[in-house]
Amino acid sequence: MEILVYIIIGAAIFILSLLVGINIGNKRIISTLKTKKEELEVEIKNKQKEIEKLLKKADEEAKALKQKELLEAREEIHKLRQQFDLEARQQREELKNNEERLIRKEESLAKKEENLEKLKEKLEAQHENILKLEKELETKLNEIAKMTEEEARQIVINEARDKYEKEIAQKFKEIKDYYEDESKKYARWVITTAIQRYASDVTNEITTSTVSLPTDDMKGRIIGREGRNIRTFEKLTGADLIIDDTPEIVVISSFNPLRREIAKRTLEMLVADGRIHPARIEELYEKSKNEIQEYIKEVGKEAVIRAGIKQPHIEIIKLLGRLKFRTSYGQDVLEHSIEVSQFAGMMASELGLNVELAKRAALFHDLGKAVDHEVEGSHAIVGGQIAKRYGEKLEVVNAIQYHHNEVDPMTPEAVLVAASDALSASRPGARKETLENYIRRIEQLEEIAKSFRYVDKAYAIQAGRELRIIVQPDKVEDEVAEKLAHDISVQIEEKVQYPGVIKVTVIREKRSISYAS
């Protein structure tokens, strides 16, 4: 029991000491908090003073900025006022100028009104004249209504021609002289050089061949019983046999040189063999035809070698060989083609152009003549198509088709081919024509010349190579004569077929005669 009391007393003492300690700690904490509070209050007062200073400073700066902006605004207002005054002054000046212009316009309008009045009076006078002219025109229209359309058209053309013919002729002469002065010299030199360098025999083909017979008795065997041998021969060969009184001679006639040559070889073999009957004729005809085909191939190869070009397709070589048996105005077409090739090569060399292209196109330019009626179209176009089919270049094809001006030229070599073709055809003696065709061409030339106005007389001379025209000197001046010569030459090119070149000469001669008594 006593122990319990001691324990309780001890616990009470411990609790009291603990409470005393807690009280002392609280006092210290309170003291510390008071100290912190005082420090915070001092710091807050310091911050308030700083804030007041900053506010005061900010207020001062705001006042300074406000003052500065007020100054700038005043300056801007001053500038705007000056600009406004300047614009206002300019507008006042512009208004003043507009007023002055309006015044001047009013004065001008007043003058124009006066002029209009005067013009009105003139128009009224002109109106009266127009009424008179209308009456005159009605009279003329009544006269014109009686004319045909062609007559009226001719009247208009004649009036225009009379008015402008001299001016057009003068301009034509100026242009012609300008372009011809230099071109003539060089073209003449190139062509002359080519002609001088080329030398060729003049050969003409005929339409008949003769075969010599050992005896006149052979003629009867050729005719055969009731003419069966000669009928078979003519049917197979397509050539005519002329057996007349000429001793030991038989004439073979055909316009186709290839058929005539086959017929000649067949007949020569028949005569040499002596056995003449329809079966033998057929056999030897086939043999002759095969020999001619081989001969054609060899001739074509020889032509390519003579022209000096690269080997073409074998079919082109065969067609070239067939040209050996074609003629144009009596001229061997193959020889003509080789000649054209050599001319074109020489001129291309002189001009610095493609010699191979010029020679190749020139050699092939008449290929179309080798197929005759087998293909429709002109020989120039057909020849170009054949060359294209067998792998020739487009430039070669174009030159072939151009040589008769049926297409436009793509290269200078194409023009050379056409010029070389004309040179070869126009050489003296190169070609011949029948008397009937010659006379018709001469008459046609003279008729074309006489169809032009102011032409008095026209004469075709130099075997149709030159046309001399005599004009009325009092109606045709020198400039008009130049234009007339050109127009006639154009008409001849369009309407007349001829080899070579035709020279057109217009002669204007004025003779003044007086008599003294």
Side-chain angles (χ1 to χ4, degrees):
M1 188 66 177
E2 288 178 1
I3 295 167
L4 181 60
V5 172
Y6 287 138
I7 292 168
I8 292 167
I9 292 168
I13 293 167
F14 175 75
I15 290 167
L16 286 171
S17 61
L18 182 62
L19 290 170
V20 171
I22 289 168
N23 190 21
I24 293 168
N26 286 335
K27 286 180 179 180
R28 287 178 182 173
I29 291 167
I30 291 166
S31 175
T32 302
L33 288 172
K34 285 180 178 180
T35 304
K36 290 287 184 182
K37 182 180 178 184
E38 290 173 357
E39 289 176 356
L40 286 171
E41 287 175 352
V42 171
E43 188 175 350
I44 288 168
K45 288 179 181 179
N46 291 334
K47 292 290 182 183
Q48 286 177 348
K49 289 178 181 180
E50 288 179 4
I51 289 168
E52 288 175 358
K53 287 179 182 179
L54 289 171
L55 288 172
K56 187 176 180 181
K57 186 178 179 182
D59 187 42
E60 290 175 355
E61 287 179 356
K63 288 180 179 179
L65 284 172
K66 186 177 179 181
Q67 189 69 25
K68 184 179 178 181
E69 286 177 357
L70 284 170
L71 290 172
E72 290 177 354
R74 286 172 184 168
E75 289 178 359
E76 187 67 24
I77 291 167
H78 181 67
K79 288 180 182 179
L80 289 171
R81 186 175 290 135
Q82 287 180 339
Q83 186 176 356
F84 176 77
D85 292 341
L86 178 62
E87 290 177 356
R89 188 163 52 252
Q90 289 176 348
Q91 287 179 358
R92 285 195 295 272
E93 290 177 357
E94 188 175 347
L95 286 171
K96 185 179 179 182
N97 292 333
N98 288 337
E99 287 176 0
E100 291 176 354
R101 281 199 297 271
L102 285 171
I103 292 168
R104 287 196 295 270
K105 282 184 179 179
E106 287 176 358
E107 293 175 354
S108 176
L109 285 171
K111 291 180 180 178
K112 284 182 179 179
E113 284 179 1
E114 293 177 4
N115 293 333
L116 283 172
E117 289 295 328
K118 294 178 182 177
L119 184 61
K120 185 178 178 182
E121 293 175 0
K122 288 182 181 179
L123 287 172
E124 288 175 353
Q126 287 178 358
H127 182 67
E128 293 177 0
N129 292 331
I130 288 169
L131 292 174
K132 292 179 183 177
L133 287 172
E134 283 180 353
K135 292 180 181 178
E136 293 177 2
L137 283 172
E138 285 179 5
T139 305
K140 287 186 178 180
L141 285 171
N142 290 331
E143 294 175 359
I144 291 170
K146 297 176 183 178
M147 298 181 185
T148 64
E149 183 181 345
E150 185 60 31
E151 288 173 344
R153 180 173 172 271
Q154 195 59 43
I155 289 171
V156 174
I157 290 172
N158 290 338
E159 288 179 358
R161 183 183 295 158
D162 293 338
K163 187 175 181 181
Y164 300 109
E165 189 169 24
K166 184 178 178 181
E167 295 178 14
I168 293 171
Q170 286 176 340
K171 185 59 67 177
F172 171 80
K173 187 175 184 302
E174 290 174 7
I175 295 170
K176 184 169 177 281
D177 291 344
Y178 175 78
Y179 284 105
E180 282 185 354
D181 281 343
E182 295 301 323
S183 62
K184 273 186 177 180
K185 296 176 185 177
Y186 192 60
R188 191 180 295 117
W189 176 78
V190 170
I191 293 172
T192 305
T193 302
I195 292 173
Q196 286 176 347
R197 288 173 59 191
Y198 185 81
S200 174
D201 295 330
V202 176
T203 58
N204 282 317
E205 295 292 324
I206 56 176
T207 59
T208 60
S209 299
T210 58
V211 176
S212 299
L213 304 177
T215 63
D216 270 352
D217 295 338
M218 187 63 72
K219 290 183 180 179
R221 296 171 64 184
I222 291 170
I223 295 170
R225 185 181 298 175
E226 297 178 357
R228 65 174 186 169
N229 290 345
I230 193 170
R231 283 199 302 274
T232 302
F233 184 89
E234 290 181 344
K235 182 180 179 181
L236 284 172
T237 61
D240 295 329
L241 282 181
I242 302 172
I243 301 175
D244 53 17
D245 296 334
T246 307
E248 301 177 356
I249 291 292
V250 173
V251 177
I252 301 171
S253 176
S254 175
F255 286 104
N256 188 318
L258 180 59
R259 291 179 181 176
R260 191 171 67 248
E261 182 64 23
I262 295 173
K264 181 182 177 183
R265 291 193 180 205
T266 304
L267 185 58
E268 286 175 346
M269 286 192 287
L270 284 168
V271 171
D273 184 62
R275 294 174 292 168
I276 304 176
H277 54 81
R280 187 62 175 166
I281 292 171
E282 290 181 11
E283 180 184 345
L284 294 181
Y285 169 73
E286 290 297 327
K287 184 179 180 181
S288 299
K289 193 162 67 170
N290 292 333
E291 288 179 356
I292 285 294
Q293 293 301 327
E294 288 299 318
Y295 175 72
I296 283 172
K297 193 186 297 183
E298 292 302 318
V299 168
K301 290 179 180 178
E302 183 185 350
V304 171
I305 293 169
R306 287 175 62 188
I309 64 171
K310 295 177 183 177
Q311 285 287 327
H313 194 280
I314 187 63
E315 293 301 324
I316 291 181
I317 291 175
K318 290 179 182 178
L319 290 172
L320 282 174
R322 290 182 69 174
L323 292 178
K324 179 69 177 176
F325 300 99
R326 295 291 185 272
T327 59
S328 179
Y329 292 95
Q331 187 180 25
D332 184 324
V333 176
L334 181 59
E335 290 297 323
H336 162 68
S337 297
I338 295 170
E339 184 176 296
V340 171
S341 177
Q342 291 167 341
F343 270 140
M346 291 175 194
M347 289 196 283
S349 177
E350 293 291 343
L351 294 169
L353 300 176
N354 190 330
V355 176
E356 169 69 18
L357 172 61
K359 291 170 71 175
R360 195 175 190 86
L363 182 63
F364 300 158
H365 81 281
D366 272 344
L367 275 182
K369 290 184 178 179
V371 294
D372 289 338
H373 59 279
E374 299 167 15
V375 180
E376 291 184 358
S378 69
H379 76 273
I381 299 297
V382 171
Q385 292 170 348
I386 292 170
K388 184 178 180 181
R389 186 188 310 153
Y390 293 117
E392 292 298 324
K393 293 181 180 178
L394 185 60
E395 292 83 356
V396 175
V397 174
N398 174 259
I400 293 170
Q401 294 181 333
Y402 170 71
H403 82 274
H404 280 318
N405 298 314
E406 295 187 52
V407 298
D408 294 328
M410 291 173 55
T411 60
E413 288 81 4
V415 180
L416 286 186
V417 171
S420 302
D421 180 45
L423 280 176
S424 175
S426 62
R427 284 193 306 113
R431 294 187 172 184
K432 65 179 182 180
E433 56 186 337
T434 63
L435 179 62
E436 182 182 353
N437 290 337
Y438 167 74
I439 293 172
R440 189 185 302 117
R441 181 158 60 86
I442 296 295
E443 290 175 348
Q444 194 175 4
L445 289 174
E446 293 179 353
E447 286 172 3
I448 288 172
K450 289 177 181 177
S451 67
F452 283 80
R453 284 200 317 166
Y454 309 135
V455 172
D456 196 12
K457 297 175 184 177
Y459 301 100
I461 62 174
Q462 299 289 340
R465 299 289 183 185
E466 183 178 354
L467 183 62
R468 291 190 181 176
I469 302 153
I470 300 172
V471 296
Q472 299 172 14
D474 54 337
K475 294 182 179 178
V476 178
E477 297 185 5
D478 291 340
E479 295 84 357
V480 178
E482 287 272 355
K483 182 73 167 51
L484 182 62
H486 173 75
D487 293 343
I488 292 172
S489 65
V490 170
Q491 284 280 346
I492 292 171
E493 289 174 359
E494 292 176 355
K495 295 183 179 180
V496 182
Q497 294 291 330
Y498 56 92
V501 178
I502 296 175
K503 180 181 179 182
V504 178
T505 305
V506 174
I507 301 170
R508 175 180 176 271
E509 183 183 19
K510 179 70 174 177
R511 295 188 182 184
S512 300
I513 301 172
S514 179
Y515 297 94
S517 58

